[in-house]
Amino acid sequence: MTISTAKSAFWKGVRDSAPFVLVTGPFGLLFGVLAAEAGLNVVEALSFSLAVFAGSAQFTALQLMQEHTPTLIVLISALAVNLRVAMYSASLTPYLGDAPLWQRAFAAYLTVDQAYALSMIEFERRSDWGTPERMAYFFGTNGLVAPAWMAATITGALVGASIPDSLGLDFVLPIAFLAMIGPMLRTPAHVIACFTACAVSLPATLMPYNLGLIVAGIAGMMAGAQAEVWFERKNTAAEAKQ
């Protein structure tokens, strides 16, 4: 019989998240480099990462700031990119909702794609875990990723000016998102939402201020929600016939 404690769950989270360090390291390095190129110093780049702690929102906001986009559009775009975190929180609530308030507040700050994806898979697999083990595992998934992200951001901000463009670090961004999104496409509704957003995003690139990102995200969510309803009705009708 396997004995599971909060401590062992935490270290399991650390081990499971270790491969993501290979992605978040270059990802954070790239952000530090771009932040330096945008004129932010090391303290400002690190403060940016600490305050937002969401790679996609940070890259979106930084890019729009470099394009001198109005502040309101920058804020709306960053919030739109991070809307998925609200859905992550809703999904995690059945598993972590009984934890103390300070733990839930800390978990909300640390809710990122990797932590969510790993935690949901593990929570559904380990029905014997209680809230302390689940929360410990969730924190463990950030045990390496968060420090690696911050260290890489600082390194990128320090050496940003000396890294040649030919190194092509920007390839990390799409790879990171593919690695995060792939495991989440577990139902037909998820796939429909993903591909709808991709399809809409292509012509939407013509919209100013990257507003196409918001339009594509909304289209994907609407398509996914509608598909979910349609599949539920289909399953209900099939069960009624049996």
Side-chain angles (χ1 to χ4, degrees), residues 207-225:
M207 299 180 69
Y209 302 134
N210 276 345
L211 288 174
L213 181 68
I214 300 174
V215 173
I218 293 174
M221 287 187 285
M222 292 175 64

Side-chain angles (χ1 to χ4, degrees), residues 74-221:
V74 174
L75 293 174
I76 292 174
S77 298
L79 288 173
V81 169
N82 263 5
L83 271 179
R84 71 192 188 287
V85 179
M87 291 184 280
Y88 293 170
S89 298
S91 297
L92 289 169
T93 297
Y95 300 103
L96 305 177
D98 294 335
L101 178 61
W102 71 270
Q103 290 185 6
R104 284 182 282 144
F106 196 35
Y109 172 72
L110 293 173
T111 299
V112 292
D113 300 286
Q114 299 93 332
Y116 170 77
L118 288 171
S119 297
M120 289 301 294
I121 293 172
E122 199 64 20
F123 293 167
E124 291 176 0
R125 193 175 71 86
R126 297 297 300 265
S127 58
D128 58 318
W129 276 3
T131 301
E133 288 80 12
R134 293 178 190 141
M135 187 60 82
Y137 180 85
F138 181 84
F139 286 146
T141 60
N142 273 291
L144 287 176
V145 173
W149 173 263
M150 299 304 168
T153 297
I154 294 173
T155 304
L158 287 171
V159 304
S162 61
I163 294 180
D165 294 338
S166 59
L167 192 59
L169 281 177
D170 51 348
F171 80 96
V172 174
L173 189 60
I175 289 178
F177 276 105
L178 287 173
M180 291 183 290
I181 291 172
M184 298 182 194
L185 303 180
R186 292 175 292 167
T187 69
H190 292 159
V191 176
I192 290 172
C194 176
F195 282 94
T196 300
C198 292
V200 174
S201 68
L202 296 177
T205 56
L206 299 175
M207 299 180 69
Y209 302 134
N210 276 345
L211 288 174
L213 181 68
I214 300 174
V215 173
I218 293 174
M221 287 187 285

